[in-house]
Amino acid sequence: MLLGIFALPPAATAQETAHQKIRLGLLPFSESLGAVIAERQGFFKAEGLDVEVSKFESGALAVPVLQSGRIDIAFSNTVSTLQAIEQGLDAIILAPGAVVRSSPPDTTTALIVRKGSLTSLKDLEGKRVAVNVINSSAWLHAVAALEKHGVDRTKVRFTEVPFPQMNDPLLNGQLDAVVQVEPFRSALMATDKAEILSWTYVETAPGSDITQYIALAPWAEKNRATAEKFARAVIKGAAFANSNEAATRDINQQFTNLNPALKDKVLLPQLGTAVNVAETARTMELMRKYGLLKAPIDVSKRVLALP
């Protein structure tokens, strides 16, 4: 249920009416499909929007670019979004991204090792584990899953490796484990040389919102109609993805540069069609527990309410 109400001016300005271009920062994996589909299926065009897309490896990297004004909207994750707000970023959530499934498999991260190399998560103490960004959303849920299984996280040697570049170092023995997302997880598992020890998000935050599209409040205030149009188009894209699997698989393969042989094998994300404020509390609790957030944030005041 969408609970938040963000107060915006009652009408678009003349400047906004004349300028409908949006600079959007996306992440290079399937959770971005809501916006990608909105572009490919003409939903942005139908709203009168011209969307220019840039790709970032993580929300933690996209948010500073948003703050600098070099992009208008960023696709972020809940961890990066809440941290940025606590640090003074005046941001609002325009639309939801992906949602964690209640049971595996899921497109969120899985902790994967070489087949036969380890017998349990406890064996990861002293070992090299790759995450895309330390202190990121992937790291947080990995740490929470490790602790759930009795692992001393201070003994795990975390290292940063972008998702698209994780698989080979694991298979070559340069890494002992990777915290990997779809579609790269499916590509790794297709080698039959790896096995999953934990579905980290599913274990620690089932049903929660994990990604969202955010904008600076001053931009949204100045461009109210544009923000609403963007949100509507992305939600249409999410609904399309959730109900048109074949077409979505084609778009996903093209956007992520997935091996065509895996196009129909990878798991597609579950995309949200309304921001779930209540479930965000799950992630906030984990963030506070592991030192990524000092105090709770009232997300209900940071959500754009569509008319």
Side-chain angles (χ1 to χ4, degrees):
M1 179 178 180
L2 192 147
L3 303 176
I5 297 177
F6 184 80
L8 292 173
T13 64
Q15 180 180 357
E16 178 190 12
T17 302
H19 186 67
Q20 298 288 309
K21 183 174 182 179
I22 290 178
R23 298 166 298 171
L24 171 65
L26 294 181
L27 307 187
F29 42 88
S30 55
E31 289 185 12
S32 296
L33 282 174
V36 175
I37 289 173
E39 176 66 26
R40 302 286 177 91
Q41 295 299 119
F43 300 149
F44 284 141
K45 185 177 180 180
E47 292 283 357
L49 301 179
D50 175 16
V51 179
E52 176 184 288
V53 174
S54 300
K55 291 184 181 180
F56 296 86
E57 290 298 331
S58 72
L61 297 176
V63 169
V65 181
L66 174 71
Q67 189 165 19
S68 74
R70 286 176 285 166
I71 57 176
D72 303 308
I73 299 172
F75 189 65
S76 183
N77 61 72
T78 303
V79 169
S80 296
T81 298
L82 294 179
Q83 285 181 324
I85 290 173
E86 182 177 60
Q87 294 164 10
L89 184 73
D90 188 9
I92 65 167
I93 299 172
L94 302 183
V99 178
V100 183
R101 287 179 169 90
S102 58
S103 61
D106 192 28
T107 52
T108 51
T109 54
L111 197 151
I112 307 174
V113 299
R114 288 184 305 282
K115 187 172 288 187
S117 63
L118 301 172
T119 59
S120 71
L121 290 177
K122 186 69 174 176
D123 294 334
L124 286 173
E125 292 182 2
K127 300 296 193 300
R128 299 157 297 181
V129 178
V131 292
N132 64 325
V133 178
I134 292 173
N135 291 338
S136 68
S137 181
W139 174 89
L140 173 69
H141 293 281
V143 165
L146 290 173
E147 184 171 279
K148 183 177 178 180
H149 289 270
V151 180
D152 183 348
R153 66 185 177 92
T154 65
K155 295 180 180 179
V156 175
R157 297 161 56 192
F158 285 105
T159 184
E160 295 184 346
V161 180
F163 291 126
Q165 299 171 22
M166 285 183 182
N167 293 352
D168 286 345
L170 174 69
L171 296 176
N172 294 337
Q174 296 170 276
L175 298 168
D176 299 298
V178 296
V179 179
Q180 186 60 291
V181 296
E182 198 69 359
F184 312 110
R185 175 186 61 80
S186 284
L188 177 56
M189 298 307 293
T191 67
D192 199 34
K193 297 179 180 178
E195 57 187 335
I196 295 172
L197 294 188
S198 171
W199 294 89
T200 55
Y201 281 78
V202 175
E203 283 201 50
T204 59
S208 63
D209 286 8
I210 51 175
T211 47
Q212 56 277 141
Y213 299 85
I214 65 173
L216 298 181
W219 180 88
E221 292 168 2
K222 183 178 180 181
N223 301 281
R224 175 188 178 184
T226 300
E228 292 177 354
K229 289 175 181 179
F230 175 85
R232 283 196 299 267
V234 167
I235 289 171
K236 288 179 183 177
F240 181 96
N242 291 338
S243 59
N244 294 272
E245 182 176 343
T248 299
R249 286 189 177 281
D250 288 336
I251 295 170
N252 182 56
Q253 189 272 322
Q254 296 163 14
F255 177 70
T256 62
N257 295 316
L258 180 68
N259 183 333
L262 298 174
K263 177 176 72 73
D264 296 324
K265 297 180 180 179
V266 298
L267 185 67
L268 296 174
Q270 178 175 307
L271 300 180
T273 54
V275 177
N276 193 325
V277 174
E279 288 297 332
T280 302
R282 289 175 181 256
T283 304
M284 273 198 256
E285 290 169 5
L286 289 178
M287 290 176 68
R288 296 184 70 195
K289 179 177 182 180
Y290 293 107
L292 300 188
L293 197 67
K294 295 178 181 178
I297 293 171
D298 187 354
V299 180
S300 67
K301 296 180 179 179
R302 295 280 182 173
V303 177
L304 176 69
L306 295 176

